[in-house]
């Protein structure tokens, strides 16, 4: 079957096709799309995005934590080994993270490790709305936030990542 690329297609899709089309919007977490499917039809893209985010926000804390943890580190080991999903590869490249000097790479790895050590989950920022120097600055300031604040900020950034991935899907 051809890919579902319009809201009309998505509204008409069965659960499996809907999940196949939107499963990648939330990193390694197709359950978000699957559990949003019963809310069709969606009036517009904003309605669809808000329903997806509602599923994520309504999930258990454990599932939310697993979703956050499903994200790769920025300029981390998976990125160095070219083992990111297609979306993550693009997102990291758009922030210039595929072209770091050895010093910048070491700084990312130090900050990633410090952040993970403080909060128990990786640092999440919508990379496509940022760039490497801004990300390094934000990593340092957010390191001083409370764990609950960071947990909520991570979910908010995941909503932005999903919005951009959805826009890409529906663009053509
Ligand atoms: N980890 C931190 N930020 C991001 C992002 O924007 N995309 C992905 N895939 N992983 C991240």
């Amino acid at each position: 079957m051809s890919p579902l690329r319009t809201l009309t297609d998505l509204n008409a899709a069965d659960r499996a096709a809907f999940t196949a089309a939107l499963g990648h919007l939330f990193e390694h977490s197709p359950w978000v799309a699957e559990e949003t499917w019963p809310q069709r039809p969606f009036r517009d893209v904003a309605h669809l995005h808000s329903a997806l985010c509602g599923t994520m926000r309504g999930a258990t804390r454990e599932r939310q934590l697993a979703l956050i943890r499903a994200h790769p580190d920025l300029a981390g080991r998976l990125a160095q080994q070219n083992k990111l999903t297609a979306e993550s590869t693009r997102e990291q490249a758009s922030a210039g993270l595929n072209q770091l000097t050895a010093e910048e790479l070491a700084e990312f790895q130090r900050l990633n490790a410090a952040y993970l050590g403080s909060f128990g989950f990786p640092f999440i920022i919508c990379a496509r709305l940022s760039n490497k120097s801004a990300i390094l600055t934000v990593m340092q300031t957010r390191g001083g936030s409370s764990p609950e604040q960071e947990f909520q900020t991570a979910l908010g950034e995941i909503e932005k990542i999903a919005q951009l991935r959805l826009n890409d899907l529906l663009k053509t």
Side-chain angles (χ1 to χ4, degrees):
M1 202 174 66
S2 59
L4 307 181
R5 286 191 173 273
T6 68
L7 196 63
T8 309
D9 292 339
L10 291 167
N11 279 334
D14 66 18
R15 191 173 193 120
F18 184 89
T19 305
L22 300 180
H24 68 287
L25 298 188
F26 292 79
E27 191 85 4
H28 298 300
S29 305
W31 59 267
V32 180
E34 185 169 19
E35 295 184 12
T36 305
W37 176 81
Q39 295 180 47
R40 294 164 317 131
F42 302 99
R43 288 183 300 281
D44 50 30
V45 179
H47 182 206
L48 171 58
H49 179 254
S50 135
L52 290 162
C53 294
T55 299
M56 179 192 79
R57 295 277 180 178
T60 62
R61 181 93 180 176
E62 289 68 29
R63 266 187 142 182
Q64 292 175 341
L65 180 59
L67 167 61
I68 294 172
R69 286 187 172 149
H71 288 74
D73 277 343
L74 294 173
R77 197 167 42 83
L78 291 178
Q80 301 309 309
Q81 297 174 347
N82 291 318
K83 287 186 179 161
L84 299 177
T85 62
E87 291 75 27
S88 290
T89 301
R90 263 188 65 197
E91 288 160 6
Q92 299 217 16
S94 95
L97 303 185
N98 59 340
Q99 294 184 328
L100 299 178
T101 64
E103 290 75 23
E104 288 167 336
L105 187 59
E107 183 69 350
F108 266 96
Q109 293 180 346
R110 186 181 70 75
L111 289 169
N112 278 333
Y115 186 95
L116 181 66
S118 298
F119 299 107
F121 50 83
F123 176 78
I124 310 290
I125 189 168
C126 180
R128 277 165 80 183
L129 296 178
S130 197
N131 60 63
K132 68 182 172 189
S133 64
I135 292 172
L136 285 170
T137 304
V138 174
M139 280 177 99
Q140 303 188 53
T141 39
R142 279 178 42 192
S145 304
S146 73
E148 185 55 27
Q149 242 176 337
E150 275 310 294
F151 192 90
Q152 296 306 325
T153 299
L155 294 182
E157 294 298 314
I158 288 170
E159 291 180 341
K160 295 182 204 168
I161 294 169
Q163 175 76 67
L164 296 184
R165 291 180 179 182
L166 183 59
N167 293 351
D168 287 343
L169 182 79
L170 297 175
K171 204 157 50 188
T172 45

